[in-house]
């Protein structure tokens, strides 16, 4: 993947601090030893879970190379083997790291509410030699409401280190809401999440967000799949689906009341405030859709209006609506011109993991693709890149098209999503680079209006570049670049550089 030179330097400068703070310290550290007397017995390791705990994560380590000791693992809640808060799972010797919470659990373990009290890590000891003395260490983390979905860090290490452009799809549905596909016998059934993930791999994506309607039940299935799909980052999300609009909350598993217009949730501002407390990213979806029986609540008709300072993104391309009357671009540009900084993103809104482009009318995974410049392939890094506006939308969902541009003035430089100060009368130099766009042309837009480009912005060659100058008037503006095909169809939508804002 192409690296963004300016952002890469910033990422490298911040890297030592980020790594120094990356590892969460465990809330409990326990140590013990098993000996030959423990052979073929079960040994509890009790620990107390405080009130307010929503997740328990356990890491168990021991060295069996010297004496070939085998230790199996299980987990018991306060009721032991009795009652609903009792047995929570048994992984034998296959896992040394596991987690349980209300929404999800490591395979072998059961999701469910975490009741405070005395819990037990259950050790099974099928083989301990007579003269063996094998020490073990247990680290335990307690999660709490309001924790980011990627905590603790030990559960969610980056799938790839390093600043790069990462490609993903931020809007899709599975059997956990209204995703449907054909069964083996050709019947229309709820479509397994596994097929969505497989399709994303086939599309060579780096990340996807599963955004089923008003639920996070899919998080448990994602917990199972992530270790196997270790080149594709699975980000939990949901589509907050209401009678007055839809919005994705990406990067959160926290409960959220979606009943906009009820006594409990008077308006979308209440939803946005609750979303902010989850550390997720809130994006308004397909804002220009008509609402009615065909697509209930799909259009954005929120009243009173949402405070756009509480929104981080707008879905500017949904499925194949780019360039059509249903395009989200005009709505997005209205927000930009009103002074808000919201990132333009895209999502396939796929409802069938087996759909292909050969089937007309079916949205396909990865079309469009949102391409994010991030410091790593991890949930927090992708979300940070999106919030910062370091992203562009690949409308056709290719695997290789890249759009980069920087604006320079008085020795300073800004890329997509960044700010640039330019005094009245000073010249801003804008440099555009685009890959794999032969035959296309660039369009530069200042506050939504085209700027003149040499040779009508024609991009020559597979690695194309062009530059232009613009004289600042000292006022606030937003400037962004698009790439369009020879027929005028949109290929790439870039996010703004904010001038004097």
């Amino acid at each position: 993947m192409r690296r963004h030179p300016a952002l890469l330097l910033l990422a490298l400068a911040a890297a030592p601090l980020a790594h120094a703070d990356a590892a969460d310290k465990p809330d409990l550290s326990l140590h013990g030893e098993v000996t030959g007397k423990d052979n073929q017995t079960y040994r509890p390791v009790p620990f107390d879970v405080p009130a307010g705990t929503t997740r328990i994560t356990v890491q168990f380590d021991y060295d069996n190379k010297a004496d070939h000791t085998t230790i199996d693992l299980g987990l018991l809640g306060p009721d032991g083997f009795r009652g609903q808060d009792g047995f929570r799972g048994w992984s034998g010797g296959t896992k040394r790291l596991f987690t349980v919470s209300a929404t999800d659990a490591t395979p072998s373990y059961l999701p469910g509410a975490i009741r405070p009290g005395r819990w037990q890590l259950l050790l099974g000891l099928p083989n301990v030699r007579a003269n063996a003395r094998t020490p073990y260490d247990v680290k335990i983390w307690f999660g709490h409401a309001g924790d980011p979905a990627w905590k603790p860090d030990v559960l969610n290490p980056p799938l790839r280190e390093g600043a790069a452009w990462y490609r993903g799809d931020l809007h899709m549905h599975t059997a956990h809401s209204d995703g449907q596909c054909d069964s083996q016998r050709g019947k229309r059934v709820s479509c397994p999440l596994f097929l969505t993930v497989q399709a994303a791999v086939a599309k060579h994506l780096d990340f996807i967000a599963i955004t089923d309607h008003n639920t996070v039940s899919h998080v448990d299935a994602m917990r199972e799949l992530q270790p196997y799909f270790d080149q594709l980052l699975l980000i939990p999300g949901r589509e907050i689906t209401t009678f007055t609009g839809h919005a994705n909350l990406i990067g959160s598993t926290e409960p959220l009341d979606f009943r906009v217009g009820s006594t409990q949730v008077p308006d979308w501002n209440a939803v946005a405030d609750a979303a902010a407390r989850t550390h997720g990213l809130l994006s308004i979806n397909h804002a220009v859709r008509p609402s009615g029986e065909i697509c209930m609540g799909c259009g954005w008709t929120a009243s009173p209006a949402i405070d756009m300072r509480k929104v981080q993104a707008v879905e500017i391309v949904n499925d194949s609506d780019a360039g059509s009357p249903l395009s989200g671009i005009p709505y997005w540009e209205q927000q930009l011109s009103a002074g808000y900084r919201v990132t333009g993103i895209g999502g396939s809104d796929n409802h069938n993991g087996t759909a292909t482009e050969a089937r007309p009318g079916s949205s396909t995974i990865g079309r469009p693709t949102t391409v994010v410049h991030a410091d790593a392939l991890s949930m927090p890094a992708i979300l940070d890149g999106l919030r910062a506006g370091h992203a562009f939308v690949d409308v056709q969902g290719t695997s290789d098209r890249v759009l980069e541009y920087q604006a320079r003035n008085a020795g300073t430089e800004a890329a997509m999503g960044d700010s640039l100060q330019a005094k009245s009368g000073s010249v801003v130099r804008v440099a555009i680079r685009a890959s794999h766009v032969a035959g296309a042309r660039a369009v530069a837009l200042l506050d939504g209006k085209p700027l003149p480009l040499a040779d009508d912005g024609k991009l020559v060659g597979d690695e194309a570049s062009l530059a232009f100058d613009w004289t600042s008037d000292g006022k606030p503006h937003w400037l962004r670049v698009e790439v369009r095909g020879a027929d005028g169809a949109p290929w790439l939508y870039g996010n703004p550089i904010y001038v004097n804002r």
Side-chain angles (χ1 to χ4, degrees):
M1 293 186 178
R2 278 180 74 100
R3 295 173 179 267
H4 191 308
L7 295 177
L8 180 57
L9 290 175
L10 292 174
L12 291 176
L17 179 61
H19 284 288
D21 295 338
D24 298 316
K25 293 182 180 179
D27 296 287
L28 284 179
S29 293
L30 307 175
H31 310 281
E33 182 182 73
V34 298
T35 69
K37 295 179 180 180
D38 298 307
N39 188 47
Q40 297 190 359
T41 65
Y42 295 95
R43 181 168 163 181
V45 179
F47 61 96
D48 291 322
V49 175
T53 298
T54 59
R55 179 180 296 278
I56 299 172
T57 301
V58 176
Q59 186 175 52
F60 185 86
D61 289 308
Y62 73 103
D63 184 1
N64 67 346
K65 294 180 180 179
D67 50 29
H68 301 280
T69 296
T70 300
I71 302 178
D72 295 337
L73 296 180
L75 184 67
L76 301 178
D79 291 342
F81 275 97
R82 303 180 305 277
Q84 62 180 5
D85 286 320
F87 178 73
R88 295 300 290 266
W90 181 261
S91 56
T94 64
K95 298 176 178 72
R96 296 199 185 187
L97 176 67
F98 66 86
T99 191
V100 294
S101 74
T103 56
D104 60 276
T106 300
S108 305
Y109 294 88
L110 300 171
I114 306 298
R115 199 177 86 190
R118 178 61 59 92
W119 288 58
Q120 296 177 27
L121 182 66
L122 184 61
L123 309 185
L125 301 160
N127 185 66
V128 187
R129 290 180 177 178
N131 296 323
R133 303 185 69 88
T134 305
Y136 63 81
D137 296 290
V138 184
K139 296 177 181 177
I140 302 175
W141 291 261
F142 297 130
H144 304 89
D147 285 349
W150 51 89
K151 293 293 185 179
D153 295 319
V154 68
L155 275 180
N156 301 287
L159 298 192
R160 199 180 314 160
E161 295 279 6
W165 289 108
Y166 295 103
R167 314 181 82 88
D169 191 337
L170 294 169
H171 190 169
M172 53 187 63
H173 301 274
T174 73
H176 292 268
S177 58
D178 55 349
Q180 292 190 317
C181 57
D182 292 340
S183 71
Q184 290 179 323
R185 293 183 177 179
K187 296 180 180 179
R188 205 67 175 166
V189 298
S190 293
C191 206
L193 187 147
F194 178 82
L195 294 177
T196 292
V197 178
Q198 274 195 322
V201 171
K203 193 68 175 178
H204 307 292
L205 297 180
D206 299 306
F207 64 89
I208 58 173
I210 304 294
T211 55
D212 281 306
H213 295 284
N214 292 337
T215 187
V216 289
S217 63
H218 47 279
V219 176
D220 193 46
M222 295 169 69
R223 177 72 63 191
E224 177 184 4
L225 295 179
Q226 185 66 91
Y228 177 79
F229 291 98
D230 57 1
Q231 297 185 78
L232 175 70
L233 178 66
L234 307 182
I235 302 176
R238 82 206 72 179
E239 186 168 18
I240 304 169
T241 307
T242 78
F243 308 139
T244 57
H246 299 181
N248 277 345
L249 176 56
I250 300 168
S252 167
T253 63
E254 289 279 305
L256 186 138
D257 195 339
F258 54 85
R259 296 172 293 174
V260 172
S262 67
T263 302
Q264 296 82 0
V265 189
D267 56 30
W268 266 97
N269 288 301
V271 173
D273 290 339
R277 292 191 289 270
T278 73
H279 306 277
L281 179 140
L282 187 66
S283 171
I284 293 175
N285 292 345
H286 42 66
V288 193
R289 287 287 192 276
S291 293
E293 290 184 352
I294 295 177
C295 191
M296 293 178 290
C298 286
W300 190 256
T301 60
S303 181
I306 193 170
D307 182 348
M308 288 299 295
R309 292 172 297 181
K310 300 177 180 181
V311 177
Q312 292 80 54
V314 168
E315 189 178 65
I316 60 174
V317 185
N318 176 280
D319 187 13
S320 56
D321 69 6
S324 79
L326 299 180
S327 168
I329 292 288
Y331 176 83
W332 177 50
E333 291 190 336
Q334 288 175 11
Q335 312 314 312
L336 297 176
S337 294
Y340 300 110
R341 296 177 65 153
V342 285
T343 303
I345 63 174
S348 68
D349 205 353
N350 175 266
H351 284 68
N352 178 353
T354 66
T356 65
E357 294 176 13
R359 298 175 62 176
S362 295
S363 61
T364 57
I365 289 170
R367 185 184 176 105
T369 297
T370 301
V371 190
V372 183
H373 196 276
D375 293 341
L377 184 55
S378 70
M379 203 186 313
I382 293 296
L383 293 179
D384 284 349
L386 287 168
R387 288 191 184 94
H390 299 159
F392 64 88
V393 178
D394 184 336
V395 173
Q396 296 178 340
T398 73
S399 62
D400 56 5
R401 284 179 182 161
V402 175
L403 172 63
E404 299 175 298
Y405 46 92
Q406 290 81 36
R408 297 181 180 88
N409 175 262
T412 61
E413 180 179 282
M416 276 186 281
D418 298 338
S419 295
L420 183 75
Q421 298 302 308
K423 295 179 180 179
S424 179
S426 64
V427 175
V428 175
R429 180 76 167 176
V430 180
I432 304 169
R433 295 186 297 276
S435 301
H436 308 295
V437 293
R441 67 185 185 93
V443 178
L445 301 166
L446 183 71
D447 302 327
K449 298 177 182 179
L451 290 171
L453 298 180
D455 200 17
D456 197 29
K458 185 177 181 180
L459 297 168
V460 180
D462 210 35
E463 296 288 333
S465 62
L466 59 88
F468 67 93
D469 292 333
W470 169 72
T471 301
S472 173
D473 58 6
K475 298 178 182 179
H477 298 281
W478 55 268
L479 186 155
R480 68 179 186 86
V481 175
E482 298 178 359
V483 173
R484 299 176 185 172
D487 59 355
W491 282 11
L492 304 172
Y493 286 125
N495 269 280
I497 295 171
Y498 299 94
V499 182
N500 298 323
R501 284 174 54 177

